Amino acid sequence: MMKERGLPHSLRMMFSGGMAVGLGLLAQPLQAQETDKEEEAPQQMHRVEITGSSIKRVAAEGALPITVIKADDFVKLGSTTAAEVLSNISGNQTNFTTTSNVGAGRTVGAAADLRGLGPNKTLVLLNGRRLANSAFDGSAVNLNVIPIAALDRVEILRDGASAIYGTDAIGGVINFITKRSYTGLNLSAEGILPEQSGGAEKRFNLSGGLGDLDKDGYNFFGVIDYHSQNAAKASDRSFSAPGGRNPGLGMDIGSGNSYPANYYDINADQSGNPYAAAGCKPPYAFSQGGVCRYNSQAVIGIVPKTEEIAVLGKGTFKLDADNTASIEYLHSQSKVRTYIAPDVFGGDGSGTSSDYVINPNSPYYPGNGITPGSVSGGPLSLNWRSIDAGLRIGESKNSTDRLLFSLDGTLAGWDYKTGLAYAMSKASDSLIDGYLNSNMIREGLLNGILNPFGPQSAAGEDYLNRAKVRGVILDAKTQVTSLDFTASRELFQLPAGPLGFALGGELRREQASFNVNHALSDLVESSGSQDSKSASGSRNVKALFTELNVPIFKTLEAQLALRYDGYSDVGNTVNPKVALRFQPAKEIMFRSSYSTGFRAPSLYELNDPNAKTYTGAPYNDPVLCPGGAVAPGGIGARDCGQQFFKLQGGNKNLQPEKSNSFTLGMVIEPLPSVTASVDYWNIRIKNQINVIPENDIFADPVKYADKFVRNPDGSLSHIIDTNVNLGNVHTSGFDLGFAWRLPKTAWGNFGLSLDGTYVSQYDYQTETGGEYLNNLATYANGSVIFRWRHSATFNWSQGPWSAAVQQVHTTGYRDQNGGQIADGYKNHQVGSYTRYNLSGSYGGFKSLTLTAGIKNLFNTNPPASNVTDNFQYGYDARYADAIGRAFFVRANYQFF
């Protein structure tokens, strides 16, 4: 067994998971303070496997920057989902949260994004092994299916790890680790009530286990976890209630698919609206340029309704003193229900069967007695929104299953582990309400049943109800079958210590299928799956890797790793990693690493069915309505301020991504109660896989001329926005950690910690060989990279009482300032964002622990933003919490 080198106790605690920052950092020094007396007695040292290495070792001997968050700590502060837990990690610059599902289809649900490189470059593990990626976004794991009630801790490796775990660990690794075993029965219940309307949450979980692994030779335990959150509407919050009409941000944006409908008089070659002169029909319709615009973003739900349930069961059997066998099963499912503005029907001005037309014989034709106005007497092409059919309600379902058989232990002097796993992820998108059969709407307008300018008659309401389309329009499934094996041991003794060695391999079969229900999707133009086709793909992956832990001197050791991955569809790759750890004195340690990475395009990125959906924001046709002015041949109601179609989906011509990563850091302990760390990181990526932001395409129609597809009459059919290799990315920065365990006092134990990330560079290309553009502290490329983020926590405990105050801070940035924003407001800066969370716990009752707290203590609103890439307007829902101040209570009862 390796002997632990003479580190002070708190530094050993720190290296037990790298740098345990944020919540976890406080918990560990406090625990060390309480057990100092016990440390005087000899303790048995156990070798463990640490995230980022395949060699079992005494935990203090690791050399990689790892953040550890204890489950007890994030639960106390009211975190109810894995995405919320990771939102407090400074290095996680995620731009896809559950709220991002509003107005979007075929999504991952919620994803992690270390370093802002994209969710597809952050590897998410459960107990050190892969889950199946989300079926709709097959390059990332849906965080909503992680069973957080079963977790013991979360380990975040803030370093590239392709040489250890495989090709998609370029940005880092997040390892969710469940309890190893459990005995007893535990029930907890939690409720979260926002001060403002909408967004209330509830959570229940039951966990139980029996059998002592050491005494009885077995342990069985299981967890059932349920969580739900109610929706919140744009009108429920002051910052989102204005929708697209926010003069403080220079926004006066509305959809040309309006209620009352805009028309194009085909005979007179003129656009108009019967109610434009009278101000349209407030509060959501308004007059602009002789037509009506509909403030669609003022009526949506900004926070979706969600429900998650997870079941985890594990049985472990002791084969002998050194070997165990286990079986583990996870089933988790998530439902996300979104609410967006009523359905839209955009006329193309042709007067043909593809158009939405009202004829002079309709009772609702302008001038026929019901609808005011005077037109040419010929057919009118319409741009209409079906208010009487209600909001469009969609529901995405995601589920994950994993069955794992594993063996681990010691045999013939080798530490080994092996596992056979089958993982499956399913997803579906369903139309619940408000989506209408496009062909029936055309017929209803032609035959005069539907009124596009005002309220429906009883016959019209009945017709709309019969035109509603409900059901699953798209489903997908990914499957991963894998067999892995790792063995490690000390080969021999060097003058400075034992030489550690590991060897392992993996065989993996990946399959993905995407099925379109054309019986429904072809009926609804706004479904997001129009014209798409079913697709499937599969691949075989084989891997072989090795690792050495070399003690060069007593103060210097090296980690050397090499991994070969072979893909049946995109080729082979070999990736090395070299890490050094130098400790000249017990109070200071230096560490550094260099590695290369390779990420094969996922089956989803290659095979996702191409489909048309509407752009997230309204735009002007750069040819027929440049700058918002109708050009010759243009039609204002069709070409200006419209949500056009875009073609999105996979691309079989994608090339793999490649990367180089470098880190250099140090950890110091000037006093036994104080630890601090700083780590520099630098990552370069070639051939980044992503989509071109739709705003960029419309902002530069010359550069992206090949992305515009036009109809025979010159009008815009759609833009092409499928997956592409965009070019290179170069980012660098510093991770900072600090922890101070104050001396024990009569008033209790106090601790302070800080986890911060400073990004010094983030440059990207939108095409191979193109110029580098800045994304740091400025909105670009469809997102923003924050210059500084931190989470600071102050903890207190005394006897059965404990409390914590947490501050989460993000610096501001230059806003999107897109083409729809008024000229005087195109230099808007989004302000910094700071939230405080407060909680307190009491465990003095027998078997019962009570926790209460306040999230967003000072009810801080999200900083104002003029971003239009999202469905939510007035703020950026990806980076800020719309709920506001919320009160929570939690009770945990241990039956036995």
Side-chain angles (χ1 to χ4, degrees), residues 647-670:
L647 185 71
Q648 59 184 9
N651 178 357
K652 292 184 178 295
N653 296 318
L654 293 174
Q655 298 299 309
E657 298 174 330
K658 298 180 180 180
S659 70
N660 294 274
S661 301
F662 172 75
T663 67
L664 176 64
M666 65 178 295
V667 184
I668 61 172
E669 188 179 63

Side-chain angles (χ1 to χ4, degrees), residues 369-694:
I370 298 177
T371 305
S374 176
V375 289
S376 69
L380 305 179
S381 175
L382 302 173
N383 290 81
W384 178 50
R385 189 174 295 270
S386 56
I387 299 300
D388 292 297
L391 295 178
R392 281 173 287 175
I393 304 175
E395 185 173 86
S396 294
K397 293 182 179 180
N398 284 268
S399 68
T400 291
D401 292 86
R402 189 180 77 173
L403 179 63
L404 170 66
F405 300 93
S406 62
L407 295 170
D408 67 90
T410 302
L411 187 65
W414 290 83
D415 296 318
Y416 73 92
K417 69 170 186 177
T418 183
L420 175 63
Y422 172 76
M424 176 177 63
S425 176
K426 291 182 177 180
S428 65
D429 277 353
S430 298
L431 310 180
I432 303 300
D433 200 7
Y435 288 89
L436 302 177
N437 183 319
S438 302
N439 290 328
M440 286 188 65
I441 298 303
R442 290 185 178 93
E443 294 173 5
L445 293 169
L446 278 173
N447 61 28
I449 294 178
L450 296 178
N451 180 5
F453 303 111
Q456 301 299 326
S457 65
E461 289 184 357
D462 177 69
Y463 190 88
L464 287 179
N465 286 330
R466 288 187 287 111
K468 288 183 177 181
V469 178
R470 297 180 175 92
V472 175
I473 60 166
L474 182 69
D475 66 85
K477 180 169 69 172
T478 61
Q479 301 173 82
V480 179
T481 305
S482 63
L483 174 66
D484 65 75
F485 179 82
T486 304
S488 66
R489 67 169 297 163
E490 297 168 4
L491 290 181
F492 50 81
Q493 191 75 20
L494 295 174
L499 177 70
F501 171 74
L503 181 68
E506 181 183 16
L507 297 175
R508 195 165 72 245
R509 170 71 172 172
E510 299 178 358
Q511 298 169 278
S513 61
F514 314 95
N515 304 303
V516 182
N517 182 0
H518 290 284
L520 297 184
S521 65
D522 291 350
L523 299 178
V524 182
E525 291 184 353
S526 65
S527 66
S529 296
Q530 189 185 32
D531 298 334
S532 62
K533 297 179 180 180
S534 298
S536 63
S538 64
R539 63 161 56 126
N540 296 318
V541 185
K542 53 188 176 183
L544 182 66
F545 54 90
T546 186
E547 181 183 353
L548 286 172
N549 192 74
V550 185
I552 302 171
F553 303 108
K554 291 291 185 181
T555 57
L556 177 65
E557 72 175 34
Q559 178 197 20
L560 309 174
L562 188 69
R563 180 179 176 111
Y564 163 84
D565 288 276
Y567 287 79
S568 60
D569 55 348
V570 295
N572 307 325
T573 180
V574 176
N575 293 286
K577 180 167 187 173
V578 179
L580 296 174
R581 175 185 180 276
F582 177 55
Q583 188 179 348
K586 65 179 183 180
E587 297 87 2
I588 188 169
M589 187 271 288
F590 299 91
R591 59 191 175 199
S592 182
S593 70
Y594 172 81
S595 63
T596 67
F598 173 101
R599 193 186 76 84
S602 71
L603 293 175
Y604 178 84
E605 291 167 331
L606 294 168
N607 300 290
D608 177 26
N610 285 196
K612 289 180 185 176
T613 187
Y614 284 105
T615 56
Y619 299 95
N620 297 314
D621 184 328
V623 173
L624 298 178
C625 189
V630 180
I635 301 173
R638 180 193 66 188
D639 304 321
C640 303
Q642 290 290 82
Q643 288 175 272
F644 294 99
F645 279 120
K646 67 177 178 180
L647 185 71
Q648 59 184 9
N651 178 357
K652 292 184 178 295
N653 296 318
L654 293 174
Q655 298 299 309
E657 298 174 330
K658 298 180 180 180
S659 70
N660 294 274
S661 301
F662 172 75
T663 67
L664 176 64
M666 65 178 295
V667 184
I668 61 172
E669 188 179 63
L671 298 171
S673 59
V674 177
T675 56
S677 74
V678 58
D679 287 280
Y680 169 76
W681 45 269
N682 188 306
I683 303 172
R684 294 176 181 267
I685 297 176
K686 297 180 180 180
N687 298 328
Q688 183 192 25
I689 297 172
N690 209 328
V691 297
I692 302 170
E694 62 181 48

Side-chain angles (χ1 to χ4, degrees), residues 84-99:
E84 186 177 6
V85 172
L86 296 180
S87 69
N88 295 327
I89 298 299
S90 63
N92 182 35
Q93 300 239 8
T94 186
N95 65 1
F96 202 96
T97 63
T98 302
T99 58

